[in-house]
Amino acid sequence: MQSYTIGQAARLLGVSTDTARRWADAGRVATHRDDGGRRLIDGRDLAAFSIEVGQGGGNGDEEVPYSSARNAFPGIVTAVKLGDVAAQVEIQAGPHRLVSLLTREAVEELGLEVGMQATARVKSTSVHIDRL
């Protein structure tokens, strides 16, 4: 199982490293130490925690990420559902939950599983924009 440093987890959650560290210190997400003494978060634990944060479970002090790559959403795989031919993959990218329908073959070739890092790329001819 893949593990993530606090910094990697922060980037995937769309928050500052300090926020991710505070959450770990408070026990909101379990950590363990590697041989070098770095704190790591198990991929499955991070996937579950990212769903909580994405559903508004943060504490309000998160930083808003900014990017010029408006169609790329780096995140963590939170669910993989395989059918006979098709598959559904869910990625939590900060506060954004993205669901992709693709072939089972593609999922198997990529080796996608819950807890691993992935980037969802969106291409659309119809984009709706809401003004806040």
Side-chain angles (χ1 to χ4, degrees):
M1 171 54 56
Q2 185 169 353
S3 293
Y4 297 90
T5 65
I6 297 289
Q8 290 170 322
R11 186 176 54 77
L12 293 170
L13 294 168
V15 298
S16 71
T17 302
D18 288 336
T19 295
R21 190 174 292 114
R22 280 193 300 275
W23 286 344
D25 290 345
R28 292 193 58 199
V29 62
T31 63
H32 62 278
R33 296 213 182 251
D34 67 4
D35 294 337
R38 295 183 309 164
R39 281 198 301 181
L40 301 175
I41 302 171
D42 180 74
R44 288 195 181 272
D45 292 339
L46 184 58
F49 185 65
S50 72
I51 293 171
E52 176 190 330
V53 171
Q55 293 173 341
N59 62 5
D61 67 350
E62 301 88 25
E63 295 178 4
V64 177
Y66 293 96
S67 172
S68 63
R70 301 200 193 307
N71 65 337
F73 295 88
I76 187 166
V77 176
T78 57
V80 176
K81 298 173 187 167
L82 296 174
D84 291 336
V85 177
Q88 178 178 312
V89 176
E90 294 183 24
I91 294 177
Q92 191 72 38
H96 308 290
R97 177 178 163 263
L98 297 111
V99 180
S100 178
L101 301 176
L102 58 164
T103 65
R104 179 186 180 116
E105 180 181 11
V107 171
E108 290 171 346
E109 284 179 7
L110 291 169
L112 295 177
E113 62 182 40
V114 172
M116 65 185 312
Q117 186 173 342
T119 299
R121 297 200 182 273
V122 179
K123 182 178 179 185
S124 176
T125 57
S126 177
V127 177
H128 299 268
I129 299 173
D130 295 332
R131 182 173 174 221
L132 301 178

